[in-house]
Amino acid sequence: MSLLLQITIFLGAALLLVPLGKRFGIATVIGYLLTGIVLGPHVLNVATDAKAIMHMAEFGVILLMFIIGLELRPQRLWQMRHSIFVMGSTQVILTGMVLMGLVFLVFKQSVTSSFVIGFALALSSTAFVLQLLAEKQQLNTTYGQQSFSILLFQDIAAIPLLAVIPLLTGSSTTHHGIAYFAAILATFSGLFLFSRFVMRPFFRFVAKSGATELITAVGLFIVLGVVQLMEILGISTTLGAFLTGVLLADSEFRHELEASIAPFKDLLLGLFFMTVGMTAQLTLMLHMPEIIIGSALALIVIKGVLLMGIARYFKYKWNNSLMLAACLAQGGEFAFVVLSVAQSEQVLTQAIVQPVVLIVTLSMVLTPLFYALIQHVVIPRLQQDTTPEFDEIPDQSPPMIIAGFGRFGQIIARNARINQIAFTAIDNNLQQIDFVRRYGGTLYYGDTTEPEILRAAGIEKAKVFVLAIDDVEDSMNAARHIRLNYPDIHLLVRARDRHHVHLLRDLGVRHIWRETYLSSLGMAHRALNLLGLSEQQASQNIQVFRDYDEQLLEQQQSIYHDEQKVFETHRNAMAELEHLFDSDQRHQDEYPEHNRENRHENHRIDVTQDDRH
């Protein structure tokens, strides 16, 4: 059977089995693995040249490393430096050392083999975890962001791990020693200069031609060229792809490159997972089920306990620590790459690699079950055991409910009390509740995300619901529940930032107030006034800015996921706004009397207006 026919069969099977698996809640990565198992030699035996397919599929990992490199802009690394480099390095080193010790003591492997296996198993699945979090809409949570940071460091750590494997063979080849690292240093320096003085000018040259599809061609050409160079010099190809991405991370073509290459990366990565499933030795499951299943479970438990301990050490809450452990407890795709390189360099034998690959695969298959167990069983019981019971809220049927009694909710409550409007206030901060009650205030302890608490507060009879809680995830969950089950209630929501506004608008929330937005406009108004603008002109300019900002927010609603497009709309709006101010100034200079006759009645910023048209 030809290679082209085998790949066609693989893609056709994936198109059928992966969406079918999604219907039953099976993650896409697991769907690819299962497709490979079905087509492999142990079930249908379709593929006859697995190594040729694997060689092609490895370009998926190469493109994955290239895109990871594109994400590593210096500014982003600096903002996430603690999460990436402190927590990430702690997790990789501690987990790698513990697993290395266990492999050495329990399975009686050499120190070299134990090192490679231990640190390979310390790496989690970037593709699997990010997809799992995206499907469950958990990427913006605390543990979602922390998972991404640790995965980013793991991807970086995989590079020196792959580079050091040839050194473990002890042979006197160009793959080790001073000559090896000198070649790496020289190549990196040359690529840096090539990026600055050749690559970027060449990108601009191609872009000016107007053939935008050639940008993708240039990106692929550079990646494949660097990979070929790495193969000639005996350096890791994934290292070359990663480096190429880093060199282009602050290029103006970064977003277009990422968007163009991502489909190739996803397809080839899916093919890579299928080849992993195809090469999995299922006969080992029959011959040594206790070792394979027991080791996969042990891997999940050991990594989970270590991750939870690390998160607790860095002062994360119990529920976020547990969810972080649930996300990253499995083995990952880079374990396959590391083990494959170790086998090709004769650091590990096939007899060792095959069961370890099966253990990693099984740990990935078990991850959704472990995730659901932690989320729906362990955390609720833990919260039930450690948290006092919520208050019983009397059925007063007030016209207004205030959820969240921080600085935002308190102002609303004080104004309601002055105007003799009854309300029920709920918060889940025990210290805040004790403080308010100490001074005679009425505040109930409850979780706004719990439907029972909302019903007890009288939401079915309330006219207005003020959602002023601080946590974005809880705010979204509560807003989603209220919009779905109580569509007639007037929902007024406090938003942390523009992104939170976009998420709320996606739910259909109409009345949204951005935190600190109006106070910053008030300060800008006073600054303009102190710097020489009249009271009327300052008020007018601030109102024009606010109108344009609201229009911009509306325009960005459908593209807020795309950073480049958001940036372009910002730049265009600011240019248009500057032009408008310049035109108004010229009009005022030419017709001062007309300007005086058409003054705005309101010379102050309207702080009662919410973020909608």
Side-chain angles (χ1 to χ4, degrees):
M1 186 184 298
S2 68
L3 179 61
L4 180 60
L5 181 57
Q6 289 184 73
I7 293 174
T8 304
I9 293 172
F10 267 63
L11 292 176
L15 290 173
L16 176 65
L17 296 178
V18 173
L20 204 61
K22 290 281 287 182
R23 285 180 172 270
F24 295 97
I26 299 174
T28 304
V29 175
I30 301 300
Y32 284 126
L33 290 171
L34 295 177
T35 302
I37 292 172
V38 170
L39 297 178
H42 304 288
V43 183
L44 298 180
N45 194 23
V46 172
T48 57
D49 193 359
K51 289 185 178 180
I53 298 176
M54 175 69 83
H55 184 71
M56 179 180 177
E58 284 175 354
F59 278 101
V61 180
I62 289 172
L63 293 179
L64 173 65
M65 292 303 296
F66 174 69
I67 289 181
I68 289 172
L70 283 177
E71 291 294 329
L72 290 181
R73 289 168 295 163
Q75 300 92 331
R76 188 174 187 186
L77 280 176
W78 181 252
Q79 292 171 357
M80 303 171 66
R81 60 190 182 279
H82 182 271
S83 297
I84 295 174
F85 295 106
V86 179
M87 277 194 72
S89 61
T90 303
Q91 183 274 326
V92 171
I93 294 171
L94 182 60
T95 306
M97 293 297 291
V98 170
L99 293 174
M100 174 184 170
L102 289 173
V103 172
F104 178 77
L105 295 173
V106 177
F107 296 100
K108 309 300 181 183
Q109 297 295 315
S110 66
V111 175
T112 301
S113 299
S114 300
F115 170 80
V116 174
I117 295 172
F119 278 88
L121 294 177
L123 306 177
S124 305
S125 174
T126 301
F128 183 82
V129 173
L130 294 183
Q131 183 178 357
L132 182 67
L133 290 171
E135 288 175 354
K136 297 182 179 295
Q137 298 183 342
Q138 304 294 317
L139 272 174
N140 290 323
T141 62
T142 300
Y143 60 85
Q145 290 295 303
Q146 193 58 60
S147 297
F148 175 76
S149 300
I150 293 176
L151 287 168
L152 203 55
F153 182 84
Q154 290 181 358
D155 295 337
I156 298 172
I159 302 302
L161 181 59
L162 290 169
V164 81
I165 287 176
L167 301 178
L168 302 176
T169 61
S171 59
S172 57
T173 67
T174 57
H175 289 271
H176 83 287
I178 297 175
Y180 177 74
F181 286 104
I184 292 179
L185 184 61
T187 303
F188 285 6
S189 302
L191 284 175
F192 176 78
L193 296 174
F194 178 75
S195 168
R196 290 290 176 183
F197 299 107
V198 178
M199 192 184 303
R200 296 185 187 189
F202 185 64
F203 262 113
R204 296 187 187 99
F205 169 75
V206 173
K208 287 180 181 179
S209 70
T212 55
E213 71 278 2
L214 290 180
I215 296 292
T216 304
V218 173
L220 288 172
F221 172 78
I222 291 173
V223 173
L224 296 178
V226 172
V227 167
Q228 187 65 37
L229 177 64
M230 295 293 156
E231 284 189 345
I232 293 172
L233 296 175
I235 302 174
S236 168
T237 54
T238 53
L239 179 63
F242 173 79
L243 177 64
T244 307
V246 172
L247 294 176
L248 292 171
D250 58 349
S251 167
E252 62 267 37
F253 303 101
R254 177 174 70 90
H255 294 283
E256 191 164 359
L257 275 172
E258 186 175 356
S260 301
I261 291 176
F264 296 99
K265 182 264 296 182
D266 292 336
L267 284 174
L268 289 172
L269 204 57
L271 189 60
F272 174 79
F273 285 128
M274 281 190 278
T275 57
V276 169
M278 180 180 61
T279 55
Q281 298 294 321
L282 296 183
T283 54
L284 293 174
M285 186 77 76
L286 300 176
H287 294 153
M288 50 177 78
E290 300 88 356
I291 294 178
I292 300 298
I293 298 174
S295 298
L297 293 173
L299 175 64
I300 291 175
V301 172
I302 292 169
K303 287 186 72 174
V305 170
L306 291 174
L307 281 160
M308 184 179 64
I310 292 170
R312 288 296 297 161
Y313 176 79
F314 286 105
K315 310 299 183 184
Y316 283 86
K317 295 179 181 179
W318 272 108
N319 57 339
N320 286 323
S321 301
L322 285 167
M323 291 306 300
L324 180 67
C327 289
L328 302 178
Q330 79 291 126
E333 60 269 8
F334 277 111
F336 304 140
V337 179
V338 171
L339 294 170
S340 176
V341 172
Q343 183 179 345
S344 65
E345 295 289 342
Q346 298 181 350
V347 176
L348 297 176
T349 64
Q350 187 178 8
I352 296 175
V353 170
Q354 287 180 348
V356 177
V357 167
L358 194 56
I359 289 167
V360 172
T361 304
L362 186 58
S363 72
M364 294 172 70
V365 172
L366 293 174
T367 295
L369 298 176
F370 184 60
Y371 186 97
L373 179 69
I374 295 293
Q375 186 178 33
H376 299 299
V377 178
V378 176
I379 289 180
R381 288 189 178 182
L382 185 66
Q383 291 176 338
Q384 184 178 2
D385 294 339
T386 59
T387 307
E389 294 183 358
F390 294 132
D391 291 334
E392 290 187 8
I393 304 174
D395 186 12
Q396 301 171 337
S397 300
M400 181 166 68
I401 299 172
I402 303 174
F405 210 71
R407 61 186 184 277
F408 203 98
Q410 287 176 22
I411 293 174
I412 297 170
R414 287 162 58 190
N415 278 277
R417 184 168 294 165
I418 291 172
N419 289 278
Q420 298 181 346
I421 297 174
F423 63 88
T424 295
I426 311 169
D427 202 291
N428 61 356
N429 187 325
L430 287 171
Q431 294 180 345
Q432 179 74 14
I433 290 167
D434 292 339
F435 175 80
V436 173
R437 287 175 177 176
R438 193 178 305 131
Y439 291 93
T442 302
L443 179 62
Y444 297 103
Y445 175 56
D447 185 355
T448 311
T449 62
E450 294 288 336
E452 293 81 7
I453 296 295
L454 297 179
R455 284 194 292 269
I459 190 172
E460 295 175 346
K461 298 180 181 178
K463 295 181 179 179
V464 175
F465 192 102
V466 177
L467 188 55
I469 56 181
D470 183 69
D471 188 90
V472 174
E473 179 185 355
D474 288 343
S475 173
M476 291 299 299
N477 289 335
R480 190 177 294 109
H481 175 78
I482 294 169
R483 286 288 300 154
L484 182 63
N485 295 280
Y486 307 99
D488 295 331
I489 197 170
H490 295 289
L491 181 60
L492 281 59
V493 186
R494 159 202 181 186
R496 288 286 295 274
D497 50 31
R498 296 178 76 91
H499 183 68
H500 193 187
V501 172
H502 289 309
L503 294 175
L504 290 166
R505 285 187 170 181
D506 281 345
L507 295 178
V509 179
R510 296 176 56 224
H511 306 283
I512 307 169
W513 278 259
R514 274 180 278 168
E515 193 177 58
T516 73
Y517 177 59
L518 295 177
S519 55
S520 65
L521 289 181
M523 185 181 292
H525 172 272
R526 178 52 57 89
L528 292 176
N529 187 235
L530 292 173
L531 290 171
L533 273 71
S534 66
E535 181 74 10
Q536 173 200 348
Q537 193 174 1
S539 298
Q540 194 171 350
N541 286 0
I542 291 294
Q543 191 58 48
V544 169
F545 172 84
R546 184 174 185 183
D547 291 341
Y548 261 77
D549 189 61
E550 293 301 323
Q551 294 174 18
L552 180 62
L553 198 67
E554 189 71 23
Q555 293 171 12
Q556 293 174 344
Q557 183 63 37
S558 60
I559 60 168
Y560 70 88
H561 294 291
D562 190 322
E563 184 180 345
Q564 178 65 20
K565 290 182 179 178
V566 169
F567 171 75
E568 289 294 335
T569 55
H570 265 297
R571 185 170 60 183
N572 294 339
M574 290 305 297
E576 186 176 352
L577 196 56
E578 289 176 10
H579 174 70
L580 179 66
F581 281 164
D582 185 55
S583 299
D584 284 350
Q585 185 62 50
R586 289 199 303 270
H587 182 76
Q588 290 173 11
D589 293 341
E590 293 177 11
Y591 305 101
E593 296 83 7
H594 178 75
N595 182 61
R596 283 195 297 268
E597 293 174 359
N598 290 279
R599 290 182 176 179
H600 289 263
E601 295 180 4
N602 183 14
H603 292 170
R604 305 182 68 85
I605 300 171
D606 181 14
V607 297
T608 63
Q609 180 183 341
D610 57 11
D611 284 344
R612 64 186 178 90
H613 297 298

